[in-house]
Amino acid sequence: MKNIRIAIDGPASSGKSTVAKSIAKNLGYTYLDTGAMYRCATYLALQNGVTLTDQEAIVELLKEYPISFGHGEGHQGKEQLVFLADVDVTHPIRDNQVTNNVSVVSALPLVREALVDLQRQIAQKGGIVMDGRDIGTVVLPDAELKIFLIASAQERAQRRFKENQEKGIASDFETLKQEIAARDYKDSHREVSPLKPADDAIIFDTTGVSIEGVVNFILEKSKEIIDK
Ligand code: DC
């Protein structure tokens, strides 16, 4: 069986991570959440009182506190854990403060360079599902399968709202929608690696489509390539 590389890109809350995790599990592949890596860089800057645009200082912090992934028992059963050095930051990197500042840090060229290097190293052996914004365009331009997921801002805000409710986090729907639109704008208009589909990506609109529907579609495409 071929070990292919699957790139899943798309805007915030388009369902990328849920879908990517499910595909990785189904194929026995590694799942890499690249958004978590940009969140780690942002978290390090915030925790260490480093100015969010000081790219050299943030790259130094990433060297001092290397990012790694593990598995463990989380709030919702087995989950992927994210570590900075030996500290579990799985949940802190999802805090609002990180979420609302990550677009600034992820626009820094030196931070992207450092994290893209790491992402490519992890993907070297193949058998990987990576989700992010620039996987098909920059990180793995020769990935065997590239999917670009989209969904209306309304639907994405609804998903985020429901997720928050389930986690017991209070949120305001209109604010969520505005935050999603603001992040979309920043992610698509930054100079370095803006969010956009690769020319050879399959664009899939998940508005009104169930997670299973999206997963099955991608699995079918993956198997066509694996079995070829
Ligand atoms: O997928 P997420 O919401 O956890 O991503 C957090 C931020 O990181 C998002 O605002 C855009 C940025 N990001 C990026 O620039 N490139 C990636 N490959 C993944 C995420």
Side-chain angles (χ1 to χ4, degrees):
M1 197 175 90
K2 259 195 298 195
N3 273 337
I4 66 168
R5 289 156 301 168
I6 303 173
I8 303 188
D9 290 301
S13 297
S14 54
K16 296 182 305 288
S17 67
T18 313
V19 164
K21 270 183 220 157
S22 174
I23 294 181
K25 194 167 171 213
N26 206 288
L27 296 174
Y29 280 11
T30 302
Y31 161 63
L32 185 67
D33 175 358
T34 62
M37 300 168 85
Y38 291 97
R39 286 173 180 275
C40 280
T42 309
Y43 177 80
L44 280 175
L46 290 168
Q47 285 291 307
N48 290 280
V50 163
T51 313
L52 291 175
T53 47
D54 188 346
Q55 31 180 0
E56 281 88 3
I58 299 175
V59 169
E60 276 312 307
L61 284 171
L62 283 166
K63 283 186 196 150
E64 200 178 329
Y65 302 96
I67 300 172
S68 63
F69 295 89
H71 289 281
E73 215 49 54
H75 295 321
Q76 290 150 331
K78 260 213 163 325
E79 66 176 354
Q80 188 171 68
L81 304 176
V82 187
F83 295 91
L84 276 169
D86 53 0
V87 180
D88 179 354
V89 293
T90 313
H91 298 288
I93 60 165
R94 306 277 153 201
D95 280 354
N96 266 343
Q97 209 201 356
V98 173
T99 303
N100 292 331
N101 288 297
V102 64
S103 291
V104 177
V105 174
S106 62
L108 303 172
L110 292 182
V111 170
R112 298 204 72 83
E113 206 177 287
L115 294 182
V116 167
D117 266 358
L118 199 59
Q119 291 156 14
R120 287 186 181 143
Q121 275 171 37
I122 298 171
Q124 233 169 20
K125 277 187 270 151
I128 191 153
V129 185
M130 221 185 255
D131 82 30
R133 304 292 190 287
D134 60 338
I135 311 305
T137 49
V138 175
V139 182
L140 304 175
D142 51 356
E144 286 82 356
L145 179 60
K146 299 179 185 176
I147 306 284
F148 195 87
L149 296 181
I150 54 172
S152 68
Q154 174 82 11
E155 169 131 346
R156 288 183 285 135
Q158 272 162 358
R159 290 178 191 165
R160 196 43 64 101
F161 186 73
K162 209 168 134 234
E163 264 170 39
N164 284 353
Q165 267 185 331
E166 283 162 9
K167 290 183 196 155
I169 302 172
S171 51
D172 172 65
F173 180 74
E174 280 309 315
T175 309
L176 279 181
K177 208 163 114 180
Q178 279 164 21
E179 282 171 0
I180 284 179
R183 207 135 67 88
D184 280 357
Y185 185 85
K186 284 187 212 151
D187 291 345
S188 335
H189 288 81
R190 66 176 178 226
E191 236 165 80
V192 195
S193 310
L195 170 68
K196 66 162 196 254
D199 291 339
D200 51 350
I202 300 172
I203 300 175
F204 192 115
D205 187 346
T206 69
T207 311
V209 183
S210 68
I211 299 285
E212 293 76 44
V214 184
V215 168
N216 288 339
F217 171 82
I218 302 176
L219 275 178
E220 230 171 81
K221 292 277 165 211
S222 311
K223 285 176 182 156
E224 278 170 21
I225 299 169
I226 292 169
D227 296 336
K228 220 176 10 195

